[in-house]
Amino acid sequence: MIEYDLNSLWFALIGVLWIGFFFLEGFDYGAGILLPFVGKDDLDRRVVVNTLGPVWDANEVWLLTAGGATFAAFPEWYATMFSGFYLPLFLILVALIVRGVAFEYRGKDKRPEWAAWWDRAIIFGSALPALLFGVAFANIVRGVKIDAAGEYVGNLFDLLNPYALLGGLTTLALFTVHGALFLSIKTDGDVARRAHDAAMRLIAPAAVLLFGFLFWTWRNAVNIDNDGVVPSFIPIATAILPFAAIWVIRERHHGWAFVLTGATIAFTTLTIFLNLYPRVMPSSIDPAFDLTIYNASSSSTTLTVMSWVALVFVPVVLAYQVYSYWVFRKRISRETLTTTGS
Amino acid sequence: MDPLIVARWQFGITTVYHFLFVPLTIGLALIVAIMETAWVRTKDPKYLRSTKFWGKLFLINFAIGVVTGIVQEFQFGMNWSSYSRYVGDIFGAPLAIEALLAFFLESTFIGLWIFGWNRLSPRMHLASAWLVVAGTSISSFWILTANGWMQNPVGYEINQATGRAEMTSFLEVITNRVTWIHFPHTLFSAVLTAAILVLAVSAWHILRNNDIEVFRPSAALGTVLVLVAGLGVAFTGHTQGQIMTEVQPMKMAAAEALWETEAPASFSLFAVGDVENGRNRINIAVPRALSVLATNSLDGEVRGINPIQAEYEETYGEGNYIPPVGTVYWSFRLMVGLGFAMIALGAVGTYLFWKKRLVEARWFHRLAIWTIALPILANTFGWIVTEIGRQPWAVFGLLRVEDAISPNVSAGEVITTLTGFTVIYGVLAAVNVYLMTKYARAGTTGETSAEDVGAAMAY
C-alpha cells in the first residue's frame, strides 16, 4: 500500500521524470530511427532533423534530471543500477554522444558523405537507446542478481534474458510509432505522408509486443513475487490504448493518435513503477536483498531540501518547456527550409 | 590489471576532455550575448554579423560540451559506486539541482536561440541568449558545489550505522568557502578562454583585412576581457591558494615542492625533486615570496610536506598522504605562468586599443594568433593541481580514491569503456577542430536581417 512520505514522493517524482523522458525523447528517438525511411533526400532529412532541432536537447535533460534525482534521493539505487548495468549504459552513452553531436554538426559541411555519416549516427544513436532503455527497465522490474551488500553480481548475459529483450523490442516499436506520429503532425508533404505510412505499418506490431510484455510482467508479478502493487486498471488501459490508436491513425487523426501513443508510453512506465513500489530494484537472489525506497534512500534532511527545490523549480521548468513547444508549434516543410525568412 | 588505475585514467581523460569545451562555451555564450545586445540596441548590422559569427563557433563547442557532460554524470555510478553510496546524500543534491536549474534552462533557451530568429521578438530572442549565459553560470556553480565538498567537506556527519556521510546543513554545503572561491576563479577563466579565442580569431582576420567592421570591435572586446578576466583569475587564484593552504595544506606544499616547514618560506621557481627522500635536489627560489603569497606577511610560516605527512599519519593512520609532487608542482607553475603571459597579452592589447592603434599593430595580431591554446592548457593544469593535489583522497579526509571504486566492475569492462570513450572523443576532437577552423577562417557572411541569420542557423 502507498505510504505518504518523502521517500514515496521521490519515488513518484523519479517516475514522473522517466515518464516525461520517455514521452518526449520517445518521439525524438522514433523520428531519428525513421530518418532514412521518411527522408528520401537531404532536404527531407533536414525537415526531420529541424523538427527535433529546438527540442532534442531539453528532452534529453529529462534523463539527466532523472539520473541526478536518483543520485540525490536514492544513492544506493543509483550506485547499484549504474555499476550493474555497466556495458548497456556505456552503449547508451555512446549513442547519446554521437546522436547529439550529429544534430548540431550534420549541416555544417556540404559534402554529401558528411551528412550521410551523421545520419548513420542519428539512426544508431536513436535506435540503440530506444531498445536498451526497455531492456533495462524490464530487468529492473523483473529483478536482477543483487547480493546482501546491495551490489549487482550478475553479468551482461543475465541482462539479455527473453523477457528483457521483449521489453526492449516493445519500447523500440512504441517509440518508433510515437516518432512517426510526431513527424505526421510536425511536417507536411511527402515526409508527413511517409510518416503516416510508417505509423500505420508499425502500430499493430507495437500493440502486440506491448500486450505480450504486459502479460509477461503480470505473470512475473503473480508468480515470482507478490510484493508489488499490481492495480488492474492501469495495465489493462495500457494494453488497450495502442489498439485504439490503430483505428485513430487509420482515420488520420494524427494529433489524437500521438496523444494515445504518448499515453501508452506514460502508462507503461507507470505500470512498471507501480509494480516496483516500494522497491526500486528487486533482487532475484533473495527478497531480503531488495533495494527499496527506504533502504536505498538519502537522509530525510536531503529529501526535504530536494523536495523544496523541486516544488519551486519544477513548475518553472515545465512552463518554459511548454512555451518552447508553443513557439515551435508550426509544421516544417521543404519550403520552410529553402525560403529565407519564414 | 587493476581496475582502479583504469577507472582513474578514465575519469581523468573524460573530465579533462569535457573541460576543454566547457570554459569556451561559458565564455562564448557571454560574448555572443554581448554582441547581440549591441545589435538589438544599435541595429547596426555589423553586430548582427558578429553575433552570428561567434554564435556559430559557440554552437560547435556547445554540442560536445553537452554530450560529454552526460558521461560525467553517469560515471560516478558506473565506475565509482562506492563513492556514490558514501557521498550520495550530499553530492547527489547539487547534481540534481544542476540538472533541474541549469541544464533545462540552457537546453531550452539554446533551442529558442538557434531556431527562434524569426519566431521570437528581438527582445525575447536576446533574453534567450542571456538565459543561456545564466544557465551556464548556474551549472558551474552547482558542479563546483559538488566538487567543493570533495575538497572541503562541510555540513555533514558520518552516520555510524551505515558508515556514510549524511547532510546536516544544506546551507553549509552551498556556502562552502572553497566553492565560493572556485566559482569566480572558474568563471573568470572561462571568460579568459573565450576572450583569447575571440582575440586570436579576430587577429587572423585583421591581418587579412577581412570585415574590419566586425573584427575591430571583436578584437577590442577580446583584449579588454583578456586583461580584466586574467586579473580576475589571478586575484581569485591568489585567495584560492590561501584558502587551500588552510584546508588542504598538503596540496599547496606539493604545489610548491616545499618539503619542510619554513618561516619565512621561499617561492620555488625551478626544482628537481627527490621524492623518495622527501627533499629537492635543486631548488631555485625567491626568498620570502611564498610567505607573502600564502600568508600575506614577509615571514609567515608555511608548512611542508614531511611534517604534514607525519601529522596525517597520526590522524588518519599509516599511509602515504603525499600526492604526486612533480605533477602538482609543474602543473601549478605552468598554470600560473600561462596566466601571467595572458595577462601581459591583454595589457598590451588594451594599451594599443587605448592608443587607438589596435588594428594597425600587426605584430600584436601575429602574436595573438598563437595564444589560442594557452587558456585551454592553463585550465587543464589548474584541474590537475586541484584533483591530483587532493590524492590519495576522493573526499578530503574522509574517503580514499582506492575505496571509492565500484567493486563489481572488472578491469576488462573499464578498459572497454576507456577505449571506447577515448576513440570517440578523439574522433570528435578532430571533427571539432576541423569545423572550428573552417568556420573561423570562413569569416563573416553578409547577413543583414534576423531572418538571414535564422536560415543560416537552422540544422
Side-chain angles (χ1 to χ4, degrees):
Chain A
M1 282 303 94
I2 290 171
E3 296 283 336
Y4 293 93
D5 53 23
L6 284 178
N7 302 58
S8 298
L9 173 72
W10 275 92
F11 180 77
L13 275 175
I14 289 167
V16 167
L17 287 167
W18 282 107
I19 288 173
F21 173 67
F22 288 140
F23 181 97
L24 296 167
E25 189 109 328
F27 68 67
D28 226 318
Y29 289 151
I33 293 164
L34 292 170
L35 186 65
F37 304 103
V38 299
K40 293 299 177 193
D41 62 14
D42 186 62
L43 192 53
D44 278 353
R45 293 180 183 201
R46 282 189 59 211
V47 168
V48 174
V49 172
N50 275 281
T51 60
L52 303 177
V55 295
W56 72 267
D57 190 3
N59 292 349
E60 205 160 283
V61 174
W62 285 77
L63 170 68
L64 291 175
T65 310
T70 309
F71 199 172
F74 304 106
E76 300 283 337
W77 182 14
Y78 171 82
T80 302
M81 179 164 64
F82 280 63
S83 62
F85 295 174
Y86 193 83
L87 291 174
L89 274 171
F90 166 68
L91 292 176
I92 286 177
L93 284 173
V94 169
L96 296 184
I97 290 170
V98 297
R99 179 178 186 272
V101 175
F103 285 132
E104 193 57 53
Y105 285 5
R106 189 188 181 284
K108 296 255 181 308
D109 198 291
K110 294 297 161 219
R111 275 172 290 187
E113 65 271 23
W114 175 272
W117 273 105
W118 293 116
D119 285 348
R120 282 179 204 125
I122 291 172
I123 299 159
F124 159 83
S126 303
L128 194 65
L131 177 83
L132 289 177
F133 277 116
V135 173
F137 269 91
N139 273 307
I140 290 174
V141 73
R142 175 179 180 262
V144 290
K145 291 180 183 165
I146 293 173
D147 68 7
E151 298 287 356
Y152 176 75
V153 290
N155 59 37
L156 178 63
F157 298 99
D158 292 327
L159 298 175
L160 302 176
N161 55 78
Y163 170 71
L165 292 174
L166 177 63
L169 289 176
T170 305
T171 48
L172 180 64
L174 267 181
F175 292 165
T176 311
V177 180
H178 194 45
L181 292 166
F182 176 76
L183 290 176
S184 312
I185 56 181
K186 291 292 291 182
T187 63
D188 64 10
D190 284 345
V191 176
R193 189 179 49 72
R194 292 188 204 112
H196 167 84
D197 292 346
M200 266 319 288
R201 218 168 287 162
L202 291 168
I203 183 68
V208 171
L209 281 168
L210 179 63
F211 187 85
F213 175 69
L214 288 168
F215 183 75
W216 201 338
T217 306
W218 174 72
R219 295 289 302 165
N220 281 349
V222 173
N223 289 343
I224 297 174
D225 50 51
N226 255 320
D227 276 359
V229 184
V230 191
S232 52
F233 168 70
I234 287 168
I236 290 171
T238 315
I240 293 172
L241 286 170
F243 288 101
I246 297 177
W247 178 76
V248 179
I249 296 171
R250 187 172 298 147
E251 295 295 309
R252 295 183 174 270
H253 298 307
H254 295 124
W256 286 110
F258 179 72
V259 171
L260 281 178
T261 51
T264 308
I265 289 168
F267 275 38
T268 307
T269 316
L270 192 58
T271 303
I272 288 173
F273 271 79
L274 286 171
N275 253 287
L276 282 172
Y277 183 86
R279 304 161 307 169
V280 290
M281 265 187 113
S283 166
S284 61
I285 297 176
D286 185 337
F289 304 158
D290 286 355
L291 296 184
T292 71
I293 59 171
Y294 299 105
N295 68 18
S297 89
S298 282
S299 64
S300 65
T301 313
T302 300
L303 291 180
T304 309
V305 169
M306 292 305 297
S307 300
W308 283 106
V309 173
L311 187 72
V312 174
F313 289 100
V314 169
V316 179
V317 168
L318 287 176
Y320 62 66
Q321 276 216 321
V322 168
Y323 168 73
S324 148
Y325 276 91
W326 172 252
V327 168
F328 299 111
R329 65 193 177 281
K330 273 196 202 153
R331 286 176 194 263
I332 292 179
S333 64
R334 295 169 68 94
E335 291 71 40
T336 328
L337 296 176
T338 42
T339 46
T340 334
S342 54
Chain B
M1 190 182 255
D2 187 357
L4 178 66
I5 303 289
V6 196
R8 287 181 67 183
W9 272 106
Q10 180 165 325
F11 195 86
I13 289 172
T14 53
T15 308
V16 164
Y17 187 87
H18 177 58
F19 208 77
L20 300 178
F21 301 95
V22 168
L24 210 46
T25 305
I26 299 173
L28 275 177
L30 176 72
I31 284 163
V32 171
I34 291 173
M35 292 300 182
E36 190 175 350
T37 306
W39 151 246
V40 171
R41 289 214 161 172
T42 64
K43 290 292 160 200
D44 186 335
K46 75 181 181 197
Y47 292 120
L48 182 67
R49 294 203 300 279
S50 187
T51 307
K52 188 236 160 187
F53 178 76
W54 300 115
K56 276 261 179 190
L57 297 185
F58 162 67
L59 291 174
I60 291 167
N61 280 289
F62 186 79
I64 298 196
V66 167
V67 296
T68 55
I70 312 175
V71 177
Q72 294 307 102
E73 189 187 297
F74 280 28
Q75 74 174 325
F76 291 114
M78 291 171 71
N79 283 341
W80 306 99
S81 69
S82 300
Y83 169 83
S84 302
R85 290 179 208 280
Y86 186 87
V87 305
D89 200 85
I90 301 143
F91 189 86
L95 254 60
I97 297 173
E98 184 190 16
L100 185 63
L101 266 66
F103 293 164
F104 273 123
L105 193 66
E106 284 176 342
S107 58
T108 307
F109 286 95
I110 198 88
L112 284 159
W113 191 81
I114 301 172
F115 294 92
W117 284 95
N118 37 44
R119 291 199 177 85
L120 298 173
S121 70
R123 293 179 73 93
M124 188 57 219
H125 192 269
L126 178 62
S128 301
W130 283 105
L131 285 167
V132 172
V133 176
T136 58
S137 311
I138 295 169
S139 171
S140 51
F141 173 75
W142 288 104
I143 197 63
L144 290 171
T145 299
N147 182 266
W149 193 81
M150 298 169 76
Q151 306 292 346
N152 181 36
V154 289
Y156 74 98
E157 64 180 18
I158 302 298
N159 179 329
Q160 295 305 331
T162 59
R164 286 165 197 162
E166 287 184 359
M167 195 190 294
T168 54
S169 165
F170 183 62
L171 190 68
E172 278 181 46
V173 171
I174 62 172
T175 54
N176 191 338
R177 58 185 180 142
V178 169
T179 303
W180 278 96
I181 195 64
H182 266 15
F183 180 50
H185 189 68
T186 308
L187 285 189
F188 277 127
S189 58
V191 174
L192 175 60
T193 307
I196 289 269
L197 178 98
V198 168
L199 176 60
V201 173
S202 302
W204 194 87
H205 286 290
I206 287 171
L207 288 175
R208 283 158 185 77
N209 282 323
N210 297 337
D211 203 349
I212 295 297
E213 260 197 321
V214 162
F215 290 110
R216 188 212 317 260
S218 292
L221 178 66
T223 194
V224 172
L225 282 181
V226 168
L227 180 63
V228 173
L231 290 172
V233 171
F235 282 113
T236 52
H238 172 58
T239 310
Q240 200 174 14
Q242 295 189 337
I243 291 176
M244 236 356 115
T245 307
E246 288 173 38
V247 300
Q248 283 180 40
M250 183 62 100
K251 180 187 289 179
M252 293 318 289
E256 303 297 351
L258 182 71
W259 294 93
E260 301 301 337
T261 301
E262 288 182 14
S266 48
F267 182 85
S268 166
L269 294 175
F270 180 90
V272 178
D274 175 3
V275 175
E276 220 143 89
N277 296 311
R279 62 185 183 86
N280 291 326
R281 278 204 198 91
I282 305 170
N283 189 19
I284 302 166
V286 185
R288 291 179 187 272
L290 183 56
S291 287
V292 175
L293 287 173
T295 66
N296 290 338
S297 88
L298 274 171
D299 44 19
E301 180 187 276
V302 183
R303 292 157 73 207
I305 296 168
N306 294 330
I308 299 171
Q309 161 71 17
E311 183 199 309
Y312 283 1
E313 284 208 316
E314 264 175 48
T315 317
Y316 305 115
E318 243 177 71
N320 181 4
Y321 298 94
I322 307 173
V325 178
T327 311
V328 178
Y329 173 87
W330 284 112
S331 298
F332 187 72
R333 258 136 208 82
L334 286 164
M335 172 187 76
V336 173
L338 291 168
F340 280 113
M342 290 184 276
I343 291 172
L345 180 81
V348 172
T350 306
Y351 174 79
L352 291 170
F353 172 58
W354 183 49
K355 289 285 174 191
K356 305 207 186 308
R357 295 210 318 259
L358 185 58
V359 170
E360 292 70 28
R362 303 184 73 81
W363 61 270
F364 176 74
H365 298 289
R366 276 193 285 270
L367 176 70
I369 291 171
W370 293 101
T371 62
I372 198 157
L374 300 189
I376 294 167
L377 290 171
N379 294 335
T380 305
F381 288 128
W383 275 113
I384 288 175
V385 172
T386 304
E387 295 297 294
I388 295 189
R390 193 190 55 232
Q391 301 300 319
W393 300 106
V395 182
F396 181 76
L398 295 180
L399 182 73
R400 287 175 176 82
V401 173
E402 63 200 57
D403 301 322
I405 190 123
S406 300
N408 53 342
V409 174
S410 69
E413 286 174 309
V414 193
I415 290 170
T416 307
T417 55
L418 173 63
T419 312
F421 286 133
T422 307
V423 169
I424 291 172
Y425 281 15
V427 172
L428 288 184
V431 175
N432 176 273
V433 170
Y434 165 70
L435 286 178
M436 286 296 279
T437 316
K438 176 181 159 176
Y439 279 90
R441 286 190 174 178
T444 53
T445 31
E447 290 87 3
T448 51
S449 70
E451 283 74 17
D452 293 346
V453 178
M457 285 283 175
Y459 284 171

